[in-house]
Amino acid sequence: MATLGLSEAEREAIERFERAVIQPSMTALVILEFTRQASPVLAKLAADYAAKGVKLVTIDIDQEKLIAAQFRVQAVPTVYAFFQGQPVADLTPYSSEAQLKSALDQLLGQLKIADAGAAPQADIEPLMAMGEQILTEGDAARAASVFRQIREMAPDDADVAGALVRALVAAGELAEAEAIFAALPPESAGKPGIARARAALALASAEPPADTAGLEARIAADPDDHPARFELAGAKAAAGDRDAAADALLEIIARDRDWNEGAARKRFLQLLEAQGLEDPWARSQRRRLSALIFT
């Protein structure tokens, strides 16, 4: 946050925010709650997840008006998750304890903020790393074969199942990916590997329109034709053009962030989730989103 031209009180407010939120987020997942009355649900979850690297910071919007204004808080509660100085999720839509726990579990897994007491998986970790490397290099069919073999070794491991689904999606084997996903136990739904696979499957399952040129012509004629741009983003994502999909979704957010109840932002975050939140591309795209929302 820029401090040029601010009063002494305003500079102090920003310094408090840096100390309370930005600095702790370098090593922990900070849940930032803008409110007038602290949520007992968030307080309970923060206590339950403290050992896993979660910290809750509550900001009274009446006392910290500058900070609330910087984040364009329009309603309370507004809740964000911060990690390494960057907002990584908007938790405002989640009101129940179960929803918030699921969101926290996904974030902790994807951001590698692991429980210190988690059991190591030394036998399969090198194989998982090899499969992910093969998938990154573009040989999805071979990666799927590797993950199938790993799954035989660890049939109940949600991360292995999720990796196999992502490889199958990349290989165009959607029927097998959907069958594996449908057979997963309900309790695995909140696992980070499954959440990432779900996002990848949802993006790939979108039916691309036959005529993207028609969509592009509509956008050229009316840059505020958000339905056309959103549909074009879906087509680009389904075709594997993540850059074009991200550009289209960010353009919608820049023009009208609340369009269709925030549909563009939700789809954009889904795109990042499918890639993996710690992926370099996802991090760079997250910074682009932050620049739009928080400036």
Side-chain angles (χ1 to χ4, degrees):
M1 294 180 181
T3 60
L4 185 63
L6 297 180
S7 68
E8 184 62 28
E10 289 170 333
R11 281 196 294 271
E12 289 176 357
I14 290 176
E15 289 172 0
R16 285 196 299 272
F17 180 81
E18 294 273 349
R19 289 194 301 269
V21 178
I22 301 300
Q23 293 175 13
S25 78
M26 294 299 136
T27 56
L29 183 66
V30 175
I31 308 305
L32 175 60
E33 177 190 24
F34 288 98
T35 188
R36 289 189 175 92
Q37 183 175 359
S39 164
V41 174
L42 282 175
K44 177 180 182 298
L45 284 176
D48 292 345
Y49 279 72
K52 296 183 179 183
V54 175
K55 175 181 174 64
L56 174 65
V57 176
T58 297
I59 290 182
D60 188 316
I61 64 168
D62 295 322
Q63 295 181 7
E64 298 286 3
K65 294 181 179 179
L66 174 66
I67 302 301
Q70 289 280 338
F71 283 86
R72 299 184 182 181
V73 175
Q74 297 179 342
V76 293
T78 293
V79 184
Y80 295 114
F82 268 74
F83 183 59
Q84 294 184 346
Q86 298 281 342
V88 295
D90 181 355
L91 302 180
T92 307
Y94 307 124
S95 56
S96 72
E97 182 175 350
Q99 290 173 327
L100 286 163
K101 285 184 67 174
S102 177
L104 287 176
D105 288 339
Q106 291 179 28
L107 286 169
L108 289 170
Q110 291 172 11
L111 297 171
K112 307 304 180 186
I113 310 174
D115 183 351
Q121 295 180 297
D123 291 341
I124 66 171
E125 283 181 354
L127 297 175
M128 287 290 288
M130 180 179 70
E132 292 288 0
Q133 180 63 33
I134 294 170
L135 184 57
T136 299
E137 292 171 353
D139 194 344
R142 183 176 167 219
S145 177
V146 170
F147 289 131
R148 285 192 188 97
Q149 294 177 47
I150 300 173
R151 199 171 188 222
E152 290 178 1
M153 299 169 58
D156 298 324
D157 191 298
D159 287 333
V160 175
L164 176 55
V165 168
R166 287 189 291 108
L168 291 168
V169 166
E173 302 291 343
L174 296 186
E176 184 179 351
E178 289 172 350
I180 291 173
F181 200 85
L184 292 172
E187 58 268 23
S188 70
K191 300 290 185 180
I194 298 304
R196 185 178 174 188
R198 182 192 301 114
L201 187 57
L203 290 170
S205 299
E207 193 68 33
D211 180 23
T212 56
L215 294 174
E216 291 167 350
R218 283 174 54 187
I219 295 167
D222 178 9
D224 287 326
D225 187 344
H226 302 322
R229 200 183 295 273
F230 188 79
E231 191 174 351
L232 180 63
K236 295 296 185 182
D241 191 346
R242 62 185 186 182
D243 289 325
D247 289 346
L249 293 169
L250 286 171
E251 183 65 23
I252 295 173
I253 296 169
R255 290 174 175 274
D256 184 356
R257 71 176 62 180
D258 296 321
W259 172 75
N260 196 18
E261 298 182 345
R265 184 179 61 185
K266 294 173 185 175
R267 179 60 60 86
F268 183 83
L269 293 175
Q270 187 180 58
L271 191 66
L272 302 193
E273 186 174 49
Q275 191 65 31
L277 291 180
E278 282 298 277
D279 179 83
W281 180 85
R283 287 201 300 268
S284 68
Q285 296 299 323
R286 194 166 67 226
R287 286 193 291 270
R288 294 177 68 194
L289 178 64
S290 298
L292 284 177
I293 294 179
F294 300 112
T295 57

Coordinates of all heavy atoms in Angstrom, one line a residue, residues 18 23 33 70 73 138 140 181 204 211 233 236 263 265:
E18 N 0.6 -4.0 8.0 CA 1.8 -4.7 7.6 C 2.2 -5.7 8.7 O 2.5 -6.8 8.5 CB 2.9 -3.7 7.3 CG 2.6 -2.8 6.1 CD 3.1 -3.5 4.8 OE1 3.8 -4.5 4.9 OE2 2.7 -2.9 3.8
Q23 N 3.3 -9.4 7.4 CA 4.4 -10.1 7.9 C 4.1 -11.5 8.4 O 4.8 -12.4 8.0 CB 5.1 -9.2 9.0 CG 5.7 -7.9 8.5 CD 6.2 -7.1 9.6 OE1 6.3 -7.5 10.8 NE2 6.5 -5.8 9.3
E33 N -10.4 -10.8 8.6 CA -11.9 -10.6 8.7 C -12.2 -9.1 8.9 O -11.7 -8.5 9.9 CB -12.4 -11.4 9.9 CG -13.9 -11.2 10.2 CD -14.3 -11.8 11.5 OE1 -13.4 -11.9 12.4 OE2 -15.5 -12.1 11.7
Q70 N -9.2 0.8 1.4 CA -8.2 0.2 0.5 C -8.7 -1.1 -0.1 O -8.4 -1.4 -1.3 CB -6.8 0.0 1.2 CG -6.1 1.3 1.5 CD -5.3 1.9 0.4 OE1 -5.0 1.2 -0.6 NE2 -5.1 3.2 0.4
V73 N -14.1 -2.5 1.0 CA -15.1 -3.3 1.8 C -16.4 -2.6 1.7 O -16.6 -1.4 2.1 CB -14.6 -3.5 3.2 CG1 -15.7 -4.2 4.1 CG2 -13.3 -4.3 3.3
G138 N 4.2 -32.3 -20.8 CA 3.2 -32.4 -21.8 C 2.9 -33.8 -22.3 O 2.1 -34.0 -23.2
A140 N 0.9 -36.3 -21.3 CA -0.2 -36.7 -20.4 C -0.5 -38.1 -20.3 O -0.8 -38.7 -19.2 CB -1.5 -35.9 -20.8
F181 N -13.5 -40.0 -10.7 CA -14.0 -38.9 -9.8 C -15.3 -39.3 -9.1 O -15.5 -39.1 -7.9 CB -14.2 -37.6 -10.6 CG -14.2 -36.4 -9.7 CD1 -13.0 -35.8 -9.3 CD2 -15.3 -35.9 -9.3 CE1 -13.0 -34.7 -8.5 CE2 -15.4 -34.8 -8.4 CZ -14.2 -34.2 -8.1
A204 N -12.4 -28.6 -18.4 CA -12.3 -29.4 -19.6 C -13.6 -29.9 -20.1 O -13.8 -30.2 -21.3 CB -11.4 -30.6 -19.3
D211 N -18.2 -21.8 -33.0 CA -17.8 -20.6 -33.7 C -17.2 -19.6 -32.7 O -18.0 -18.7 -32.3 CB -18.9 -20.1 -34.5 CG -18.6 -18.8 -35.3 OD1 -17.3 -18.6 -35.5 OD2 -19.5 -18.0 -35.6
A233 N -13.9 -17.3 -22.9 CA -12.9 -17.8 -21.9 C -13.1 -19.3 -21.6 O -12.1 -20.0 -21.5 CB -13.1 -17.0 -20.6
K236 N -11.6 -21.1 -24.6 CA -10.1 -21.1 -24.5 C -9.6 -22.1 -23.5 O -8.6 -22.8 -23.7 CB -9.6 -19.7 -24.3 CG -9.9 -18.7 -25.4 CD -9.3 -19.1 -26.7 CE -9.5 -18.0 -27.7 NZ -8.9 -18.4 -29.0
A263 N -19.2 -14.1 -11.5 CA -18.9 -15.4 -12.2 C -17.5 -15.4 -12.8 O -16.9 -16.4 -12.8 CB -20.0 -15.5 -13.3
R265 N -14.8 -13.9 -11.7 CA -13.8 -14.1 -10.6 C -13.8 -15.6 -10.2 O -12.7 -16.2 -10.0 CB -14.0 -13.2 -9.5 CG -13.0 -13.3 -8.4 CD -13.3 -12.3 -7.2 NE -14.6 -12.6 -6.6 CZ -15.1 -11.8 -5.7 NH1 -14.5 -10.8 -5.2 NH2 -16.3 -12.1 -5.1

